[in-house]
């Protein structure tokens, strides 16, 4: 009877450990904007490791620079005005350019979205707008959070 109790305890502990690992893996499924850079504002080791792979990021769609644009800017917090169009607007330091697979409909600025696509690092200038991104999601799709 004692070995049966020990076995149940060991199995219970092992199951709890595995469940904890699974929970941590799920928590890491969504990349946070702050995880893309290190303290020196260089790309983080995690960002470099994830470059070229599919990632998920949550945030808010900033109002587009202009109509019929091929990308949008994902921000950590909702912004009611285009952060690049108003001189009075606070310049966000935690943004991510998102290039979708096809066109997209603009989402209200205060509605959270989840973006999935390939993480790309390094400078890229949009030929139409001149917008320079250092980090972006390409071939993206998004859903409401």
């Amino acid at each position: 009877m004692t070995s049966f109790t020990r076995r149940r305890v060991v199995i219970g502990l092992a199951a709890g450990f595995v469940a904890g690992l699974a929970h941590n893996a799920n928590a890491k499924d969504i990349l946070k904007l702050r995880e893309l850079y290190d303290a020196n504002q260089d790309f983080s080791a995690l960002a470099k490791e994830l470059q070229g792979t599919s990632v998920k990021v949550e945030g808010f769609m900033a109002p587009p620079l202009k109509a019929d644009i091929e990308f949008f800017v994902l921000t950590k917090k909702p912004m009611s005005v285009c952060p690049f169009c108003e001189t009075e607007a606070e310049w966000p330091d935690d943004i991510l350019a998102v290039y979708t697979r096809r066109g997209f409909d603009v989402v209200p600025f205060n509605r959270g979205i989840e973006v999935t696509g390939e993480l790309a690092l390094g400078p890229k200038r949009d030929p139409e707008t001149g917008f320079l991104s250092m980090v972006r999601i390409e071939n993206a799709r998004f859903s409401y959070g």
Side-chain angles (χ1 to χ4, degrees), residues 4-144:
F4 180 70
T5 302
R6 284 185 200 156
R7 183 180 305 164
R8 290 186 77 183
V9 169
V10 170
I11 290 171
L13 289 172
F17 178 74
V18 170
L21 288 176
H23 173 72
N24 287 341
N26 289 336
K28 251 343 218 178
D29 283 350
I30 297 180
L31 181 65
K32 295 190 180 342
L33 290 172
R34 69 175 180 258
E35 294 176 316
L36 295 171
Y37 297 97
D38 64 17
N40 297 324
Q41 294 301 314
D42 294 324
F43 296 125
S44 68
L46 178 61
K48 291 174 186 175
E49 177 185 326
L50 294 174
Q51 183 175 5
T53 67
S54 181
V55 296
K56 289 182 192 175
V57 183
E58 291 178 330
F60 298 88
M61 183 184 290
L65 295 167
K66 63 183 206 165
D68 298 326
I69 199 167
E70 293 185 17
F71 71 95
F72 66 88
V73 174
L74 188 72
T75 62
K76 179 181 172 183
K77 59 185 178 183
M79 303 192 83
S80 61
V81 295
C82 166
F84 315 105
C85 302
E86 300 290 329
T87 56
E88 295 82 24
E90 181 181 327
W91 184 271
D93 60 358
D94 50 4
I95 63 171
L96 181 65
V98 178
Y99 286 83
T100 59
R101 292 179 177 182
R102 8 186 128 75
F104 61 91
D105 293 327
V106 176
V107 173
F109 76 93
N110 60 350
R111 185 160 190 190
I113 60 174
E114 181 180 282
V115 175
T116 304
E118 298 164 18
L119 181 64
L121 305 177
K124 178 181 179 179
R125 187 169 302 277
D126 182 74
E128 188 177 337
T129 64
F131 179 81
L132 177 67
S133 64
M134 293 302 292
V135 61
R136 67 206 146 276
I137 302 288
E138 297 177 338
N139 299 314
R141 58 192 179 284
F142 66 91
S143 60
Y144 303 113

